[in-house]
């Protein structure tokens, strides 16, 4: 009985290397200081409002000063979403 021919397999050739892509890194060093500043400004706004019995920081806003303080705190949370 005749023997079958053995086929020689081709040597392994790795796929072509992809060109390296530059990773775009943005400098987000501003996020933490701005976030903390917003938190502290909002807290200070509310504390000053309560300590001065509503005459400061802005007398015309009356109880809306609390909303302004919480607005600064909310802005701090919004900025914190940019932190990596």
């Amino acid at each position: 009985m005749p023997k079958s021919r053995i086929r020689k397999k081709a040597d392994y050739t790795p796929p072509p290397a992809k060109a390296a892509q530059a990773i775009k890194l943005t400098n987000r060093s501003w996020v933490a200081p701005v976030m903390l500043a917003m938190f502290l400004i909002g807290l200070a706004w509310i504390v000053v409002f309560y300590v001065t019995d509503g005459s400061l920081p802005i007398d015309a806003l009356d109880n809306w000063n609390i909303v302004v303080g919480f607005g600064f705190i909310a802005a701090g949370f919004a900025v914190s979403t940019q932190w990596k």
Side-chain angles (χ1 to χ4, degrees):
M1 178 169 254
K3 286 187 173 183
S4 64
R5 276 196 286 176
I6 299 174
R7 293 183 215 165
K8 184 178 179 186
K9 293 183 179 179
D11 292 333
Y12 173 75
T13 55
K18 294 181 180 178
Q21 296 177 354
I23 298 174
K24 185 178 181 182
L25 297 175
T26 57
N27 187 3
R28 297 202 177 184
S29 61
W30 59 271
V31 173
V34 170
M35 175 184 67
L36 291 175
M38 291 292 195
F39 288 153
L40 292 175
I41 290 170
L43 180 65
W45 194 287
I46 294 170
V47 168
V48 167
F49 174 72
Y50 277 116
V51 169
T52 61
D53 291 327
S55 62
L56 288 175
I58 300 176
D59 191 28
L61 290 180
D62 199 29
N63 285 335
W64 284 97
N65 279 305
I66 298 171
V67 175
V68 172
F70 278 113
F72 275 110
I73 294 171
F77 279 113
V79 170
S80 72
T81 61
Q82 301 298 314
W83 195 7
K84 285 190 177 184

